[in-house]
Amino acid sequence: AIGADGTTSQWSAPSRVFVPFDIRRQGGAAGKNWTFRAQPKAAAGTLLTSTTHGASWSMTTPATDQVMLWVGTGPRHGYLDVVIDGKRQARVNTWSARPYAKQMLVKVPVAWGRHQVSVSNVRFGSRNTAELDAIGFHR
């Protein structure tokens, strides 16, 4: 910070840091039912997409107390289940009237430590698309 008289203060250490995880790199397990799709508005320009009911993507987090997911939305989108350590923590409705009308942030608080995170595509009628944009963690 710089005061009105021009004096400066030392940098302070942040109390919380957001750590992104690149869904395109090794460390996440997608299986054959997920594909990468270019989307300029997505983080890193890529969405991980599935139209297969029950298709899951999973990874193990670093030590954290909050998992954050960014998901795509659109008219063909159903639900996305967020499972942490084998227990469903959230079911997210990703439907919107327009394709990629918004990017939805899902925050899931967890006990401090490493966690197994999985997202699964859940069909709702004819809406069968799920898209994972990015994932991150509080440190």
Side-chain angles (χ1 to χ4, degrees):
I2 300 176
D5 63 358
T7 59
T8 59
S9 63
Q10 296 285 349
W11 283 97
S12 58
S15 60
R16 306 284 295 182
V17 176
F18 166 75
V19 180
F21 178 83
D22 186 350
I23 61 173
R24 298 170 304 166
R25 72 177 192 157
Q26 290 185 341
K32 64 181 181 177
N33 296 316
W34 292 85
T35 57
F36 288 107
R37 180 174 73 79
Q39 170 51 263
K41 293 181 182 178
T46 306
L47 290 173
L48 187 60
T49 303
S50 178
T51 57
T52 303
H53 176 71
S56 292
W57 178 90
S58 62
M59 59 94 53
T60 302
T61 71
T64 187
D65 65 353
Q66 188 172 112
V67 177
M68 296 172 290
L69 300 108
W70 285 262
V71 298
T73 62
R76 301 280 305 147
H77 290 61
Y79 291 94
L80 193 65
D81 276 349
V82 179
V83 177
I84 299 179
D85 299 329
K87 183 178 177 186
R88 185 175 78 191
Q89 298 294 322
R91 174 166 278 180
V92 183
N93 182 352
T94 64
W95 179 87
S96 72
R98 292 178 295 165
Y100 213 80
K102 61 182 178 175
Q103 190 178 21
M104 185 181 299
L105 171 63
V106 180
K107 295 180 182 181
V108 182
V110 292
W112 181 260
R114 293 172 56 98
H115 300 278
Q116 182 67 33
V117 176
S118 175
V119 293
S120 298
N121 184 4
V122 180
R123 178 188 337 263
F124 183 75
S126 63
R127 299 189 320 222
N128 64 347
T129 301
E131 293 178 321
L132 179 61
D133 188 351
I135 188 168
F137 317 97
H138 269 155
R139 292 294 301 251

